[in-house]
Amino acid sequence: MEKSSGRVLITGAAGFLGSHLCDRFLKEGYHVIGMDNLLTGNIKNLEHLFPRKDFEFYHHDVSTYVHVPGELDYILHFASPASPIDYLQMPIQTMKVGSLGTHNLLGLAKSKSARMLIASTSEVYGDPLEHPQTESYWGNVNPIGPRGVYDEAKRFQEAITMAYHTYHGLETRIVRIFNTYGPRMRTNDGRVLPAFFSQAIRGEGLTVFGDGNQTRSFCYVDDLIEGIYRLLFSDYHLPVNIGNPSEITMNEFGEEILKLVGNPKSKLIYKPLPKDDPKRRRPDISLAKKVLDWVPQVDRVEGLRRTYEYFKTVVK
Ligand code: UDP
């Protein structure tokens, strides 16, 4: 691990993952510049940092030219709409932040000789035909489907990042993030965990899409942040999966939330499956174990307990 000093730019800083990254880098002693256009980010996620001298916030859309005065040592690009209903409502912004935004930030990284880490995703595997997903799998993506704007932007993002690495010799890192959960997720972002918690707390039906037999593998946010931190300071430039391999069906997941919240008025109800919804998803994390010595530490019982504490305070 390198010495904890230097200046870090985090895009998407007001979002779920971005704000946790700001906390972590400040804790490690870095000067953090958070950037966000607040399209889906929430400034409340950063309010506790505003009194600090080692934190600055720029309200800016990285899809347009990015200027940051002074030196930069690291750039972490986490700006993007990040839930399936966001992609439907903001398809162009989703494509622009992943493509133009990444290009602008790579240019900035090059001019500052900074190391750049990009937030890629398990969505690069699409509706995967291989299970679990290893980094060597090329994926099964529908480029013109509703999720294509996100998936293809992230695939382009990986490609241009590799191009800057090979052509310009830029120091780059690529994390492929699998479903992550924890405090500061938006209650109404449409993803399964905020939906289920909000519905269970309000005593509504939990909306399971399709037959509920599709699977996901949920990683607690602290584990993900630790993996990203290790990756940034590793010397590994190829993509690395970070996620929790504990796989669960949406029916089982709904039952777990019903049990945890214990609202007798709630039960599972069924709604149509969105188009191109991946049937199974589970990360193979052998590479992260090998190159980062990283495995998740927080199991779902503990992670859901901590997340429930947060949702209790924000769900109205
Ligand atoms: N899902 C669900 N009910 C909801 C929201 C989502 O059953 O209210 C399902 C969705 O169809 C998918 C899984 O939960 O199979 C995870 O969806 P999410 O939007 O959280 O993330 P994804 O992994 O699909 O990007």
Side-chain angles (χ1 to χ4, degrees):
M1 295 272 165
E2 291 180 6
K3 212 168 116 254
S4 299
S5 69
R7 287 161 55 87
V8 187
L9 171 67
I10 298 174
T11 75
F16 166 47
L17 299 180
S19 64
H20 283 282
L21 282 169
C22 290
D23 287 342
R24 176 65 188 263
F25 279 85
L26 286 166
K27 195 167 142 229
E28 300 285 348
Y30 294 91
H31 183 95
V32 173
I33 299 159
M35 190 172 277
D36 205 300
N37 67 353
L38 302 178
L39 188 64
T40 59
N42 183 352
I43 201 70
K44 282 205 173 71
N45 291 334
L46 295 175
E47 263 170 8
H48 62 291
L49 302 179
F50 284 141
R52 298 181 66 133
K53 289 207 166 46
D54 48 2
F55 180 73
E56 295 170 68
F57 179 71
Y58 288 13
H59 186 186
H60 181 72
D61 179 353
V62 297
S63 304
T64 62
Y65 185 82
V66 183
H67 172 69
V68 175
E71 290 178 8
L72 275 182
D73 301 286
Y74 305 102
I75 299 176
L76 291 93
H77 183 24
F78 278 70
S80 179
S83 84
I85 57 166
D86 289 345
Y87 323 145
L88 283 176
Q89 285 162 6
M90 298 168 252
I92 315 284
Q93 287 101 326
T94 303
M95 290 233 69
K96 282 171 75 177
V97 72
S99 55
L100 306 179
T102 304
H103 187 212
N104 288 334
L105 292 162
L106 285 164
L108 180 68
K110 183 167 154 267
S111 74
K112 306 273 187 189
S113 302
R115 182 178 297 183
M116 168 112 167
L117 182 145
I118 58 152
S120 187
T121 167
S122 56
E123 286 281 331
V124 300
Y125 304 122
D127 189 1
L129 304 176
E130 280 185 20
H131 195 78
Q133 292 80 53
T134 60
E135 289 84 351
S136 57
Y137 177 49
W138 290 356
N140 177 40
V141 170
N142 175 4
I144 57 166
R147 303 169 86 106
V149 290
Y150 185 69
D151 301 7
E152 295 296 1
K154 291 291 185 180
R155 289 169 69 96
F156 172 89
Q157 181 181 49
E158 289 198 5
I160 194 170
T161 300
M162 288 303 294
Y164 267 72
H165 176 80
T166 49
Y167 188 73
H168 290 304
L170 192 72
E171 284 262 31
T172 54
R173 304 288 181 268
I174 300 174
V175 56
R176 289 188 182 151
I177 299 170
F178 283 66
N179 294 68
T180 304
Y181 69 99
R184 301 186 192 156
M185 289 185 97
R186 271 155 57 216
T187 53
N188 61 348
D189 82 354
R191 281 186 285 187
V192 66
L193 182 137
F196 282 1
F197 264 127
S198 303
Q199 291 157 347
I201 291 168
R202 295 186 191 121
E204 298 165 0
L206 273 56
T207 51
V208 176
F209 295 165
D211 63 9
N213 288 323
Q214 71 274 32
T215 68
R216 294 293 185 274
S217 307
F218 296 100
C219 183
Y220 188 67
V221 61
D222 290 2
D223 283 331
L224 179 88
I225 300 296
E226 178 63 29
I228 291 168
Y229 195 81
R230 289 185 188 211
L231 177 61
L232 180 68
F233 296 111
S234 75
D235 54 13
Y236 194 80
H237 75 277
L238 296 172
V240 180
N241 290 341
I242 299 285
N244 190 320
S246 169
E247 186 181 1
I248 186 171
T249 68
M250 292 310 100
N251 283 324
E252 292 163 338
F253 191 55
E255 294 294 346
E256 284 189 0
I257 305 250
L258 284 177
K259 197 166 147 222
L260 179 62
V261 177
N263 194 326
K265 287 190 265 176
S266 292
K267 62 178 174 56
L268 303 187
I269 58 172
Y270 289 83
K271 300 275 179 193
L273 188 68
K275 185 167 164 21
D276 296 343
D277 197 281
K279 284 178 272 308
R280 296 186 75 184
R281 183 183 289 156
R282 175 156 73 94
D284 183 316
I285 58 167
S286 317
L287 184 64
K289 276 186 200 159
K290 192 170 136 212
V291 299
L292 310 177
D293 189 25
W294 174 88
V295 285
Q297 305 292 330
V298 182
D299 67 14
R300 213 169 40 247
V301 173
E302 175 58 16
L304 288 181
R305 192 191 62 72
R306 293 187 203 173
T307 307
Y308 180 35
E309 291 306 311
Y310 172 77
F311 274 94
K312 272 197 270 192
T313 66
V314 289
V315 173
K316 302 280 176 278

